[in-house]
Amino acid sequence: MKLKITSAEVAERAGVSQSAVSRVFTPGASASKKTIEKVRKAAAELGYRPNVLARAMVSGRSRIIGLVVAYLENQFYPIVLEKLSNALQEQGYHILIFTAPNSTDGIDGVIQDLMDYQVDGIVAASVSLSSDLAERATQAGIPVVLFNRGQDNSPFVEVTSDNIAGGRQVAEFLLEAGHERIAHISGWQGSSTGRERQQGFNAALADAGVASVATLDGMYKRDVAIACTETLLRDHNPDAIFVGNDHMAFAVIDALRAKGIVVGNDISVIGYDDVPMASWGAYDLTTIRQPVNRMVDATVSALMSHIENPQNAEPRREAIEGPLIVRGSARKPKGWTNEGI
């Protein structure tokens, strides 16, 4: 059996030095166009593939970013995963994906595994880290960015949508449309996103001298959101429901229709995220759009800055406001135009 082709054999075939071969296959390294063409031609002829792990041992960089995510069933996160992967590839990095339970112990174990893989950075999407693990990551020099999640006294960069502003937009829209019995199926109250969206929503209602008829924790789970919908219909008779994310909002719409309720007429439903399914005719969901492209750009920028300049890794919160996307699942205020209320 033929042994693996080495970079020395490629260098000999291409008529260049072994270091030139290394530069051609090292992201960010410089090599002339002529050298690149000769090396890649020789590599293709010989069937050579660079040993990424060996290169990482020499350079001290794996060029891998670890991504920890808890909610892959939520349609928002496959989109985030794709956009993060593409954005990091443009920087010469790849992602290693781990899923984690929504508990500190489970997440800490996953993050420790990622650190053992010697990743160059970690993106924690909708998960929180213990203070002990945060300290270990800092000591190891591994930058961590929290995506779509914040936590108290965080030592990390946090990138989120402006959840409080989003919640306010929803309440103001529903009030302007004349709704009087407004309920809220919140995101998991153990998360900053769930709490902040509820906070903004309730604050805008209070400013108008109104309170929600009921607030129930949907836990970001479809089955829980359906159970919450049944409770609202039985005990509170709402004329509008703000749901903490689109994943739950689709379940709420399904549950209402199963009972013969006309969504957008009998009861308005508004979600949060604006995943592609929200625009499907089956749901036509009014929702707050998470500015995912800007959130991903901010996340990658923070990671690259920290990797290149560890001393500049100051903790901060970047909350990016997204628009309310109005469709047919909610009654529109009189005289509504797409420019807003």
Side-chain angles (χ1 to χ4, degrees), residues 296-338:
V296 165
D297 288 347
T299 298
V300 173
S301 176
L303 276 174
M304 296 302 103
S305 176
H306 191 160
I307 289 170
E308 298 301 328
N309 300 288
Q311 301 84 358
N312 297 336
E314 293 296 325
R316 69 178 188 276
R317 180 79 175 273
E318 192 161 347
I320 306 170
E321 189 168 350
L324 177 68
I325 305 302
V326 179
R327 300 191 179 98
S329 71
R331 187 169 77 216
K332 299 176 181 65
K334 187 176 180 180
W336 168 267
T337 65
N338 287 334

Side-chain angles (χ1 to χ4, degrees), residues 113-135:
D113 287 343
L114 279 174
M115 291 171 64
D116 291 343
Y117 275 94
Q118 297 185 358
V119 296
D120 289 345
I122 295 172
V123 177
S126 283
V127 295
S128 300
L129 280 65
S130 70
S131 56
D132 176 62
L133 192 67
E135 178 63 24

Side-chain angles (χ1 to χ4, degrees), residues 36-79:
I36 292 171
E37 289 174 349
K38 289 197 298 184
V39 169
R40 290 200 176 277
K41 182 175 183 291
E45 290 171 351
L46 294 171
Y48 170 77
R49 296 294 298 168
N51 188 327
V52 175
L53 294 178
R55 188 171 65 210
M57 291 177 66
V58 173
S59 67
R61 285 191 181 179
S62 65
R63 303 201 73 87
I64 294 174
I65 301 297
L67 172 64
V68 186
V69 62
Y71 298 116
L72 278 178
E73 71 274 19
N74 178 351
Q75 299 87 353
F76 179 64
Y77 284 103
I79 297 167

Side-chain angles (χ1 to χ4, degrees), residues 70-77 102 126-127 148-149 161 163 184-198 216-226 228 242-249 251 272-273 290:
Y71 298 116
L72 278 178
E73 71 274 19
N74 178 351
Q75 299 87 353
F76 179 64
Y77 284 103
N102 231 328
S126 283
V127 295
N148 203 34
R149 178 64 61 87
S161 66
N163 296 298
H184 181 35
I185 297 177
S186 76
W188 178 49
Q189 289 299 288
S191 69
S192 63
T193 52
R195 295 191 302 270
E196 289 171 359
R197 292 168 192 176
Q198 179 178 316
L216 304 175
D217 189 342
M219 303 290 292
Y220 288 136
K221 295 181 179 179
R222 179 180 174 85
D223 56 343
V224 178
I226 290 173
C228 289
F242 169 40
V243 190
N245 72 357
D246 290 355
H247 179 62
M248 293 191 297
Y272 200 112
D273 282 338
Q290 291 228 61

Side-chain angles (χ1 to χ4, degrees), residues 7-260:
S7 60
E9 291 173 282
V10 175
E12 183 179 357
R13 172 70 69 95
V16 300
S17 67
Q18 194 170 352
S19 63
V21 174
S22 176
R23 289 197 301 275
V24 168
F25 289 103
T26 300
S30 62
S32 70
K33 182 179 179 181
K34 184 177 179 180
T35 297
I36 292 171
E37 289 174 349
K38 289 197 298 184
V39 169
R40 290 200 176 277
K41 182 175 183 291
E45 290 171 351
L46 294 171
Y48 170 77
R49 296 294 298 168
N51 188 327
V52 175
L53 294 178
R55 188 171 65 210
M57 291 177 66
V58 173
S59 67
R61 285 191 181 179
S62 65
R63 303 201 73 87
I64 294 174
I65 301 297
L67 172 64
V68 186
V69 62
Y71 298 116
L72 278 178
E73 71 274 19
N74 178 351
Q75 299 87 353
F76 179 64
Y77 284 103
I79 297 167
V80 169
L81 192 157
E82 178 184 359
K83 291 183 180 295
L84 263 176
S85 179
N86 290 340
L88 287 166
Q89 284 182 41
E90 290 178 0
Q91 299 291 331
Y93 288 80
H94 295 277
I95 59 173
L96 181 63
I97 304 166
F98 279 66
T99 57
N102 231 328
S103 67
T104 300
D105 289 344
I107 291 162
D108 280 10
V110 169
I111 298 289
Q112 184 60 60
D113 287 343
L114 279 174
M115 291 171 64
D116 291 343
Y117 275 94
Q118 297 185 358
V119 296
D120 289 345
I122 295 172
V123 177
S126 283
V127 295
S128 300
L129 280 65
S130 70
S131 56
D132 176 62
L133 192 67
E135 178 63 24
R136 278 186 279 158
T138 300
Q139 289 178 349
I142 299 175
V144 177
V145 176
L146 302 186
F147 183 91
N148 203 34
R149 178 64 61 87
Q151 58 188 65
D152 294 338
N153 302 313
S154 171
F156 307 123
V157 173
E158 303 171 354
V159 178
T160 71
S161 66
D162 192 333
N163 296 298
I164 294 175
R168 291 194 68 94
Q169 285 189 78
V170 172
E172 290 165 359
F173 179 86
L174 291 173
L175 290 169
E176 186 72 13
H179 290 287
E180 297 178 347
R181 299 188 57 78
I182 304 172
H184 181 35
I185 297 177
S186 76
W188 178 49
Q189 289 299 288
S191 69
S192 63
T193 52
R195 295 191 302 270
E196 289 171 359
R197 292 168 192 176
Q198 179 178 316
Q199 177 186 341
F201 180 71
N202 286 341
L205 292 180
D207 288 348
V210 177
S212 64
V213 295
T215 297
L216 304 175
D217 189 342
M219 303 290 292
Y220 288 136
K221 295 181 179 179
R222 179 180 174 85
D223 56 343
V224 178
I226 290 173
C228 289
T229 305
E230 293 171 349
T231 298
L232 291 176
L233 294 177
R234 184 184 65 243
D235 299 336
H236 302 286
N237 189 32
D239 61 7
I241 305 173
F242 169 40
V243 190
N245 72 357
D246 290 355
H247 179 62
M248 293 191 297
F250 299 142
V252 171
I253 289 174
D254 290 341
L256 293 174
R257 286 176 175 163
K259 296 182 179 298

Side-chain angles (χ1 to χ4, degrees), residues 284-299:
D284 200 24
L285 179 64
T286 293
T287 183
I288 295 290
R289 175 177 291 167
Q290 291 228 61
V292 63
N293 289 329
R294 286 184 289 160
M295 291 167 66
V296 165
D297 288 347
T299 298

